[in-house]
């Protein structure tokens, strides 16, 4: 077992049966819909987001079981967003977590509905399993905000619109970086931040603790996205269980492109982007932005660690999960 | 102004500006996404569901303004479900409320995302505008349940699967009726029931009051669906602002088909269904089930009235709204 697998193991042991149980929707749910939901929700995965919820709860002095309901809910939102992102009208992906995507397996109509159902189910799950009403309301409200038009969905809309926008169309590399970070903050960052918040809220964490967790998750989410961009260049389809090199194919610039642009002059940049687009790039010497992006992710992880100082030993695992981002290969 | 327009006018005056204000999602929401959401949510409509929320609140002794937040939330869920139902992979409709459907106007990706965003926004709206946490949690929980895999979404999945299932494939007309009622109960009835519940919950209605409202809304929802099926035969595209005659085209049986089957022998039924499928049927003599379906709706409305006895004069408008179903032409 790798270090990260060992770290995540207790959280996965808790979340897997909870996800399984959460798909008992009763006789009103058609069997095909339930199968599609289970296919997407129970697909093998690291369960980073549920782990972040539960580790955040532990950092505030709570237990894994106290945070199980929000951990299930965030994974439901994550699974729904993947189903819809993969649709033909969106990213049009046929492979996810090493298997056919939900619309390939169950048809497009059922895939859309499975995503819709998972979003609703996330909220009813929180209501059902969180007995303290004020806490339940806050958990649902925070999750809805992160998942909504100014969060997850807004980020995806802007991400789709980002195809064929070049870095040199912005006034400066800094403006381009703000644009890219804003997309990722909403598309992936807001849900990581919600994970940390929900974990804290579920166990009655103080405002100071929840603020620190939000800082941590913001830095973690950005580093996650940077390493994701790097892997899109350096990893194979088999390693990631999804198609790689797609950002370059679609003319989307990524963090490595941006890092290179911030260092290089424009003529050098254009040759980098062209190199990125010719196909699958595996060596950092072909794209000088990769090492720079890794450095940037490492700086983010250092920020993340500083946010954890408040918690002392109770946040050791959160710190270890952040460190893993620098070594991830899938 | 028709009777129904006069009846609904005070509720529409309250809900329209509230819907408008509810689409201020802040700078994180991309402009195109916001436009698509507004296009769908602010499209001209009777706002029956928000009116049901507010009238239910009044029946329990509350005011319109007390129930405004849940009224907005249910209309958001309703608007999202229409956007997704109209998608090419689903019912593939190009006309809704007399205008091009959202995916025709904004593209399929943005339409999917606008629906997703509206669902999340319904829950964050409830959280934001309902200051009493226990009540907010219950409102969100009930709405999520009605919108979820055993409610709205489950009904739509079964409705899509119902194409080309004939009445004579069931063991009896009664079994066929149970099947049809189960689809409609989930696809449209559960949201009407949620409207009534949310209106009652929002103003602190008693369990007895909320139970009576649920009975009312269940009967109302079924009568609504029966009259909808009748209109699909008898009204024009212009009257309804959407394509009519589609159920027959798709080989879906409807309440008029069912009512006829319950009376006639099988050979007569087959000729009725065949008549339904040849195109647009406008005269009841062509389809003997239409009058029978109207009678069935009228019986449902009588049931609905009985559920209101508990409330006395405070439920007069709910009763009037139910009566309108029998006269509706659009």
């Amino acid at each position: 077992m790798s270090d990260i697998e060992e770290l995540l193991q207790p959280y996965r042991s808790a979340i897997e049966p909870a996800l399984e149980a959460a798909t008992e929707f009763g006789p009103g749910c058609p069997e095909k819909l339930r199968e599609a939901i289970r296919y997407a929700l129970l697909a093998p995965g690291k369960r980073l987001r549920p782990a972040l919820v539960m580790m955040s709860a532990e950092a505030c002095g709570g237990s894994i079981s106290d945070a199980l309901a929000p951990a299930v809910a965030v994974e439901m939102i994550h699974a729904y967003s993947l189903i819809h992102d993969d649709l033909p009208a969106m990213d049009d992906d046929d492979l996810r977590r090493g298997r056919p995507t939900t619309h390939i397996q169950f048809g497009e109509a059922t895939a859309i509905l499975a995503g819709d159902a998972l979003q609703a189910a996330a909220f009813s799950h929180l209501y059902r399993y969180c007995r303290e009403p004020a806490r339940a309301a806050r958990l649902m409200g925070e999750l809805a905000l992160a998942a909504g038009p100014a969060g997850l969905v807004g980020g995806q809309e802007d991400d789709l619109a980002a195809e064929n926008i070049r870095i040199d169309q912005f006034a400066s590399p800094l403006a381009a970086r703000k644009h890219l970070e804003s997309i990722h903050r909403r598309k992936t960052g807001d849900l990581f931040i919600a994970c940390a918040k929900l974990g804290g809220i579920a166990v009655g964490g103080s405002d100071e603790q929840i603020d620190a967790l939000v800082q941590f998750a913001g830095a973690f989410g950005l580093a996650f996205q940077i390493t994701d961009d790097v892997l899109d260049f350096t990893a194979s389809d088999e390693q990631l269980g999804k198609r790689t090199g797609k950002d370059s194919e679609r003319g989307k610039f990524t963090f490595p492109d941006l890092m290179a642009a911030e260092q290089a002059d424009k003529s050098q940049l254009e040759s980098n982007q062209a190199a990125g687009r010719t196909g699958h790039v595996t060596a950092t010497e072909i794209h000088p932005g990769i090492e720079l992006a890794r450095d940037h992710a490492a700086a983010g992880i250092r920020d993340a660690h500083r946010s954890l100082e408040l918690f002392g030993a109770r946040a050791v695992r959160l710190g270890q999960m952040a460190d893993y981002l620098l070594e991830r290969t899938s």
Side-chain angles (χ1 to χ4, degrees), chain A:
Chain A
M1 213 188 288
S2 73
D3 287 355
I4 182 69
E5 279 170 1
E6 205 173 316
L7 175 69
L8 294 178
Q9 198 277 327
Y11 305 96
R12 291 175 66 173
S13 297
I15 194 73
E16 295 298 340
L19 290 173
E20 173 84 33
T23 62
E24 296 298 338
F25 302 118
C29 177
E31 196 45 40
K32 186 182 172 191
L33 181 65
R34 186 167 172 269
E35 275 175 34
I37 290 170
R38 288 171 58 88
Y39 181 82
L41 183 66
L42 307 180
K46 283 192 204 67
R47 312 295 182 209
L48 276 185
R49 289 162 191 78
L52 181 52
V53 175
M54 294 185 271
M55 287 179 184
S56 297
E58 289 179 314
C60 296
S63 71
I64 286 182
S65 63
D66 292 335
L68 209 47
V72 167
V74 297
E75 191 68 4
M76 284 176 155
I77 294 290
H78 178 56
Y80 124 67
S81 77
L82 297 183
I83 298 173
H84 282 195
D85 284 2
D86 287 338
L87 287 168
M90 308 270 250
D91 294 345
D92 194 16
D93 273 311
D94 54 1
L95 195 65
R96 164 76 66 187
R97 293 176 170 173
R99 308 183 312 168
T101 46
T102 308
H103 64 274
I104 298 288
Q105 194 74 7
F106 292 90
E108 214 177 317
T110 298
I112 294 169
L113 291 171
D116 289 346
L118 273 167
Q119 177 163 206
F123 297 103
S124 43
H125 190 84
L126 282 175
Y127 179 62
R128 192 166 168 195
Y129 291 103
C130 184
R131 287 278 155 231
E132 211 282 275
R135 217 169 263 181
R138 200 171 158 204
L139 292 172
M140 289 191 269
E142 291 288 353
L143 187 59
L145 203 64
L152 184 68
V153 179
Q156 173 67 1
E157 171 76 24
D158 273 345
D159 194 35
L160 289 170
E163 290 187 12
N164 297 312
I165 298 181
R166 297 189 320 277
I167 295 175
D168 61 12
Q169 288 177 284
F170 290 89
S172 66
L174 183 65
R177 182 202 282 235
K178 279 192 176 165
H179 172 81
L180 190 64
E181 288 188 353
S182 161
I183 290 176
H184 290 314
R185 165 78 183 221
R186 285 170 291 148
K187 191 178 168 182
T188 57
D190 281 355
L191 193 58
F192 278 122
I193 289 171
C195 288
K197 266 191 189 170
L198 266 60
I201 293 167
V203 299
S206 69
D207 288 350
E208 191 192 9
Q209 287 176 320
I210 291 169
D211 285 349
L213 289 170
V214 165
Q215 289 297 315
F216 171 80
F220 179 88
L222 185 60
F224 178 88
Q225 191 56 52
I226 296 170
T227 56
D228 221 48
D229 278 2
V230 169
L231 285 171
D232 196 55
F233 280 105
T234 60
S236 66
D237 291 5
E238 290 67 35
Q239 278 174 301
L240 294 194
K242 63 180 181 183
R243 303 274 176 234
T244 55
K246 287 201 75 159
D247 288 338
S248 298
E249 276 168 33
R250 286 183 183 140
K252 279 187 200 171
F253 68 86
T254 63
F255 278 105
D257 297 319
L258 195 62
M259 302 292 127
E262 287 180 5
Q263 277 227 335
D265 65 0
K266 283 211 170 175
S267 64
Q268 195 181 334
L269 158 72
E270 278 153 17
S271 67
N272 292 336
Q273 281 198 297
R277 273 198 212 99
T278 52
H280 205 66
V281 181
T282 53
T284 56
E285 52 268 34
I286 299 179
H287 197 313
I290 286 178
E291 277 311 316
L292 295 166
R294 284 181 175 147
D295 291 347
H296 191 55
I301 297 304
R302 285 192 294 275
D303 287 345
H305 275 284
R306 270 191 295 276
S307 314
L308 296 179
E309 283 165 10
L310 175 71
F311 302 101
R314 286 202 310 240
V316 167
R317 285 171 170 176
L318 279 175
Q320 288 170 337
M321 190 160 70
D323 290 337
Y324 142 74
L325 291 184
L326 299 179
E327 298 145 26
R328 65 189 278 236
T329 54
S330 68

